[in-house]
Amino acid sequence: MSKIVSPSLLSANFGNLQKDLEMINRSEADWLHIDVMDGVFVPNISFGPPVLKYVAQLCTKPLDVHLMVVNPMNYLDAVKALNARIMNIHYEACTHLHRAVTQIKDAGMMAGVTLNPSTPVCMLKDIIEELDLVLLMSVNPGFGGQKFIPHTVEKVRELRELIDATGSKAVIEVDGGVNASTGALLARAGADALVAGNAVFGAENPEAVISALRAL
Ligand code: DX5
Ligand code: ZN
């Protein structure tokens, strides 16, 4: 089965988003990954609802929204208004994760929970059956173009075991430093979905990179 590929908008050319979105629409990309940052949860700021409104209008692919913000549930309505497929919230940003996940699902979106590199997979043990997706960070969130943290491969294996043992239907997605070689390791360990920013938008032929990642 082919991998789900979710190119990350963070690495697109913000001076000509329309051109890059047209490339995404033409490509075999499954989703578009959207990194929202608040400068508090992570030491960087990206884009917010006014920009994303137009991205959502131009993009024909399902939106995979990754909220790197404190109080992510303050944005439930804004993410829903984009008609997003997936709303990813960080484990580290949510005190009442079960309530948050239930609210995302009740809003008609897939509920994704994201783990920072230093948060162990076992923290999801009591909620894994409720989740539609787990997003494992393979870099410290906040910036594109960082180096892949190799321990993530082991975390994918552990998460695959937890999912199989519980009968959870959660999709395993990995984000950060993913390219053809790290992507192959992740795919072999049991990842279902790969986010790729620099590897796609920094390439001479982004569409070919997307197709190659899907075929891993
Ligand atoms: C990092 C973001 C990633 C980022 C990935 O905080 O969550 O989605 O765009 O970019 P690359 O693939 O370049 O590491
Ligand atoms: Zn991301």
Side-chain angles (χ1 to χ4, degrees):
M1 214 177 62
S2 63
K3 296 296 141 202
I4 293 168
V5 173
S6 193
S8 174
L9 186 70
L10 191 63
S11 295
N13 177 1
F14 291 176
N16 196 346
L17 275 182
Q18 184 162 358
K19 180 162 173 275
D20 280 352
L21 289 169
E22 282 166 1
M23 180 281 290
I24 294 294
N25 292 346
R26 272 195 316 270
S27 78
E28 290 191 295
D30 298 277
W31 300 336
L32 177 68
H33 186 81
I34 293 187
D35 292 302
V36 178
M37 304 180 188
D38 65 354
V40 181
F41 184 73
V42 288
N44 197 11
I45 296 176
S46 55
F47 33 66
V51 173
L52 294 178
K53 181 178 157 204
Y54 291 97
V55 170
Q57 280 174 15
L58 290 168
C59 187
T60 58
K61 307 283 180 173
L63 305 182
D64 164 30
V65 177
H66 175 194
L67 295 172
M68 283 160 274
V69 303
V70 294
N71 302 322
M73 296 312 287
N74 288 353
Y75 301 93
L76 179 70
D77 292 342
V79 176
K80 187 178 158 60
L82 297 174
N83 200 20
R85 166 86 53 97
I86 306 147
M87 177 163 161
N88 284 296
I89 54 177
H90 267 260
Y91 172 85
E92 302 83 6
C94 270
T95 309
H96 302 290
L97 193 59
H98 186 278
R99 179 188 291 142
V101 162
T102 305
Q103 286 173 342
I104 293 172
K105 293 200 290 192
D106 286 350
M109 294 180 282
M110 283 170 69
V113 170
T114 309
L115 299 185
N116 276 337
S118 61
T119 304
V121 165
C122 63
M123 300 312 279
L124 298 178
K125 183 173 161 288
D126 290 341
I127 194 149
I128 191 72
E129 286 161 76
E130 311 297 328
L131 303 185
D132 297 308
L133 184 145
V134 176
L135 178 59
L136 294 178
M137 291 309 301
S138 39
V139 297
N140 288 293
F143 304 91
Q146 300 183 82
K147 201 171 158 295
F148 180 79
I149 298 173
H151 178 63
T152 316
V153 178
E154 186 49 41
K155 287 177 81 173
V156 171
R157 267 189 223 110
E158 259 179 67
L159 180 56
R160 177 52 65 204
E161 271 176 31
L162 180 64
I163 287 173
D164 289 349
T166 54
S168 161
K169 298 274 184 294
V171 170
I172 301 180
E173 185 175 32
V174 184
D175 184 8
V178 174
N179 54 34
S181 56
T182 56
L185 299 174
L186 295 165
R188 209 172 312 140
D192 305 298
L194 303 171
V195 176
N198 256 39
V200 167
F201 290 99
E204 219 159 277
N205 186 344
E207 288 175 67
V209 172
I210 291 168
S211 301
L213 289 172
R214 286 188 94 236
L216 285 176

